[in-house]
Tab-separated table of all heavy atoms in Angstrom:
chain	number	residue	atom	x	y	z
A	1	LEU	N	-24.430	44.026	41.142
A	1	LEU	CA	-25.493	44.752	40.619
A	1	LEU	C	-26.750	43.866	40.332
A	1	LEU	O	-27.846	44.260	40.655
A	1	LEU	CB	-25.047	45.341	39.221
A	1	LEU	CG	-24.212	46.621	39.345
A	1	LEU	CD1	-23.713	46.978	37.987
A	1	LEU	CD2	-24.959	47.773	39.962
A	2	GLU	N	-26.442	42.667	39.833
A	2	GLU	CA	-27.667	41.769	39.482
A	2	GLU	C	-28.277	41.094	40.706
A	2	GLU	O	-29.353	40.992	40.746
A	2	GLU	CB	-27.210	40.706	38.399
A	2	GLU	CG	-28.320	39.981	37.817
A	2	GLU	CD	-27.929	39.139	36.629
A	2	GLU	OE1	-26.779	39.081	36.311
A	2	GLU	OE2	-28.904	38.731	35.958
A	3	HIS	N	-27.444	40.842	41.700
A	3	HIS	CA	-27.949	40.211	42.992
A	3	HIS	C	-27.180	40.898	44.123
A	3	HIS	O	-26.413	40.257	44.796
A	3	HIS	CB	-27.650	38.683	42.929
A	3	HIS	CG	-28.340	37.891	41.843
A	3	HIS	ND1	-29.648	37.746	41.836
A	3	HIS	CD2	-27.817	37.334	40.683
A	3	HIS	CE1	-30.023	37.038	40.809
A	3	HIS	NE2	-28.925	36.819	39.996
A	4	SER	N	-27.554	42.064	44.298
A	4	SER	CA	-26.843	42.887	45.351
A	4	SER	C	-26.979	42.348	46.811
A	4	SER	O	-26.008	42.276	47.460
A	4	SER	CB	-27.239	44.358	45.187
A	4	SER	OG	-28.696	44.532	45.452
A	5	ASP	N	-28.116	42.038	47.176
A	5	ASP	CA	-28.488	41.545	48.544
A	5	ASP	C	-27.681	40.290	48.812
A	5	ASP	O	-27.046	40.081	49.801
A	5	ASP	CB	-29.936	41.257	48.801
A	5	ASP	CG	-30.735	42.615	48.919
A	5	ASP	OD1	-30.094	43.574	49.058
A	5	ASP	OD2	-32.019	42.503	48.744
A	6	ARG	N	-27.708	39.353	47.856
A	6	ARG	CA	-27.009	38.075	48.054
A	6	ARG	C	-25.421	38.269	48.035
A	6	ARG	O	-24.815	37.705	48.934
A	6	ARG	CB	-27.395	37.119	46.894
A	6	ARG	CG	-26.872	35.695	47.106
A	6	ARG	CD	-26.830	34.747	45.822
A	6	ARG	NE	-28.198	34.923	45.229
A	6	ARG	CZ	-28.438	34.480	43.901
A	6	ARG	NH1	-27.502	33.945	43.150
A	6	ARG	NH2	-29.699	34.507	43.458
A	7	THR	N	-25.120	39.105	47.082
A	7	THR	CA	-23.595	39.483	47.068
A	7	THR	C	-23.057	40.011	48.404
A	7	THR	O	-22.050	39.569	48.888
A	7	THR	CB	-23.334	40.474	45.957
A	7	THR	OG1	-23.655	39.852	44.689
A	7	THR	CG2	-21.783	40.722	45.971
A	8	ALA	N	-23.861	41.036	48.873
A	8	ALA	CA	-23.427	41.747	50.151
A	8	ALA	C	-23.451	40.581	51.348
A	8	ALA	O	-22.476	40.638	52.082
A	8	ALA	CB	-24.355	42.887	50.521
A	9	GLU	N	-24.436	39.860	51.425
A	9	GLU	CA	-24.600	38.809	52.431
A	9	GLU	C	-23.415	37.821	52.379
A	9	GLU	O	-22.775	37.505	53.407
A	9	GLU	CB	-25.950	38.079	52.356
A	9	GLU	CG	-27.134	38.853	52.760
A	9	GLU	CD	-28.437	38.184	52.424
A	9	GLU	OE1	-28.367	37.083	51.883
A	9	GLU	OE2	-29.531	38.856	52.488
A	10	ARG	N	-23.077	37.348	51.215
A	10	ARG	CA	-22.072	36.330	51.109
A	10	ARG	C	-20.549	36.984	51.426
A	10	ARG	O	-19.779	36.329	52.046
A	10	ARG	CB	-22.045	35.685	49.673
A	10	ARG	CG	-23.214	34.946	49.274
A	10	ARG	CD	-23.440	33.730	50.305
A	10	ARG	NE	-22.357	32.752	49.970
A	10	ARG	CZ	-21.456	32.362	50.960
A	10	ARG	NH1	-21.492	32.878	52.223
A	10	ARG	NH2	-20.644	31.495	50.624
A	11	LEU	N	-20.359	38.244	50.924
A	11	LEU	CA	-19.172	38.926	51.262
A	11	LEU	C	-19.039	39.106	52.775
A	11	LEU	O	-17.847	38.922	53.315
A	11	LEU	CB	-19.011	40.300	50.423
A	11	LEU	CG	-18.933	40.263	48.960
A	11	LEU	CD1	-18.737	41.634	48.438
A	11	LEU	CD2	-17.803	39.322	48.520
A	12	VAL	N	-20.110	39.554	53.399
A	12	VAL	CA	-20.000	39.744	54.838
A	12	VAL	C	-19.646	38.480	55.641
A	12	VAL	O	-18.891	38.435	56.473
A	12	VAL	CB	-21.318	40.440	55.367
A	12	VAL	CG1	-21.419	40.305	56.892
A	12	VAL	CG2	-21.501	41.810	54.928
A	13	GLU	N	-20.264	37.408	55.118
A	13	GLU	CA	-20.073	36.069	55.787
A	13	GLU	C	-18.647	35.578	55.640
A	13	GLU	O	-17.947	35.156	56.482
A	13	GLU	CB	-21.049	35.070	55.245
A	13	GLU	CG	-22.415	35.183	55.632
A	13	GLU	CD	-23.388	34.237	54.784
A	13	GLU	OE1	-22.879	33.362	54.095
A	13	GLU	OE2	-24.641	34.448	55.031
A	14	PHE	N	-18.157	35.723	54.407
A	14	PHE	CA	-16.755	35.308	54.110
A	14	PHE	C	-15.760	36.085	54.915
A	14	PHE	O	-14.908	35.575	55.403
A	14	PHE	CB	-16.600	35.391	52.546
A	14	PHE	CG	-15.087	35.198	52.234
A	14	PHE	CD1	-14.361	34.010	52.358
A	14	PHE	CD2	-14.407	36.244	51.778
A	14	PHE	CE1	-13.085	33.924	52.119
A	14	PHE	CE2	-13.004	36.138	51.409
A	14	PHE	CZ	-12.340	34.995	51.715
A	15	PHE	N	-15.823	37.411	54.754
A	15	PHE	CA	-14.856	38.317	55.342
A	15	PHE	C	-14.881	38.164	56.869
A	15	PHE	O	-13.885	38.213	57.587
A	15	PHE	CB	-15.096	39.728	54.898
A	15	PHE	CG	-14.632	40.049	53.582
A	15	PHE	CD1	-15.329	40.840	52.579
A	15	PHE	CD2	-13.370	39.655	53.128
A	15	PHE	CE1	-14.972	41.060	51.351
A	15	PHE	CE2	-12.883	39.907	51.833
A	15	PHE	CZ	-13.739	40.560	50.987
A	16	ALA	N	-16.075	38.005	57.408
A	16	ALA	CA	-16.162	37.804	58.925
A	16	ALA	C	-15.366	36.552	59.353
A	16	ALA	O	-14.637	36.496	60.335
A	16	ALA	CB	-17.701	37.695	59.383
A	17	ASP	N	-15.660	35.406	58.575
A	17	ASP	CA	-14.797	34.135	58.916
A	17	ASP	C	-13.323	34.376	58.669
A	17	ASP	O	-12.585	33.858	59.478
A	17	ASP	CB	-15.370	33.073	57.898
A	17	ASP	CG	-16.774	32.533	58.229
A	17	ASP	OD1	-17.251	32.908	59.431
A	17	ASP	OD2	-17.391	31.971	57.427
A	18	ALA	N	-12.962	35.082	57.643
A	18	ALA	CA	-11.573	35.338	57.314
A	18	ALA	C	-10.916	36.116	58.332
A	18	ALA	O	-9.767	35.859	58.830
A	18	ALA	CB	-11.414	36.019	55.886
A	19	VAL	N	-11.649	37.205	58.837
A	19	VAL	CA	-11.057	38.027	59.838
A	19	VAL	C	-10.857	37.334	61.228
A	19	VAL	O	-9.864	37.357	61.893
A	19	VAL	CB	-11.886	39.216	60.115
A	19	VAL	CG1	-11.507	40.042	61.358
A	19	VAL	CG2	-11.824	40.178	58.917
A	20	ASP	N	-11.900	36.431	61.653
A	20	ASP	CA	-11.853	35.669	62.807
A	20	ASP	C	-10.747	34.630	62.650
A	20	ASP	O	-9.986	34.503	63.758
A	20	ASP	CB	-13.232	34.997	63.009
A	20	ASP	CG	-14.282	35.924	63.410
A	20	ASP	OD1	-14.038	37.033	63.878
A	20	ASP	OD2	-15.600	35.536	63.363
A	21	SER	N	-10.551	34.014	61.567
A	21	SER	CA	-9.528	32.982	61.458
A	21	SER	C	-8.130	33.667	61.501
A	21	SER	O	-7.249	33.129	62.135
A	21	SER	CB	-9.611	32.271	60.014
A	21	SER	OG	-10.842	31.637	59.962
A	22	GLY	N	-8.085	34.919	60.976
A	22	GLY	CA	-6.776	35.578	61.012
A	22	GLY	C	-6.407	35.959	62.432
A	22	GLY	O	-5.289	35.882	62.896
A	23	ARG	N	-7.473	36.385	63.233
A	23	ARG	CA	-7.185	36.727	64.626
A	23	ARG	C	-6.840	35.610	65.473
A	23	ARG	O	-5.899	35.434	66.309
A	23	ARG	CB	-8.459	37.335	65.255
A	23	ARG	CG	-8.709	38.743	64.682
A	23	ARG	CD	-10.117	39.278	65.140
A	23	ARG	NE	-10.346	40.680	64.743
A	23	ARG	CZ	-11.531	41.185	64.703
A	23	ARG	NH1	-12.647	40.531	65.158
A	23	ARG	NH2	-11.662	42.432	64.230
A	24	SER	N	-7.439	34.350	65.108
A	24	SER	CA	-7.213	33.132	65.815
A	24	SER	C	-5.698	32.737	65.578
A	24	SER	O	-4.965	32.250	66.451
A	24	SER	CB	-8.135	32.032	65.484
A	24	SER	OG	-9.433	32.343	65.803
A	25	ALA	N	-5.328	32.804	64.278
A	25	ALA	CA	-3.985	32.408	63.877
A	25	ALA	C	-2.949	33.329	64.511
A	25	ALA	O	-1.900	32.932	65.066
A	25	ALA	CB	-3.835	32.591	62.377
């Protein structure tokens, strides 16, 4: 709520990396 744009950007970045790592594994 306080930093919605930053939060969304960081979640997208993190989850994208996590999904890619999971697929590679």
Side-chain angles (χ1 to χ4, degrees):
L1 284 171
E2 191 163 11
H3 297 290
S4 55
D5 288 344
R6 188 194 310 168
T7 300
E9 289 168 6
R10 296 297 293 117
L11 292 185
V12 169
E13 290 172 5
F14 167 71
F15 283 133
D17 289 343
V19 170
D20 287 343
S21 297
R23 287 171 180 163
S24 299

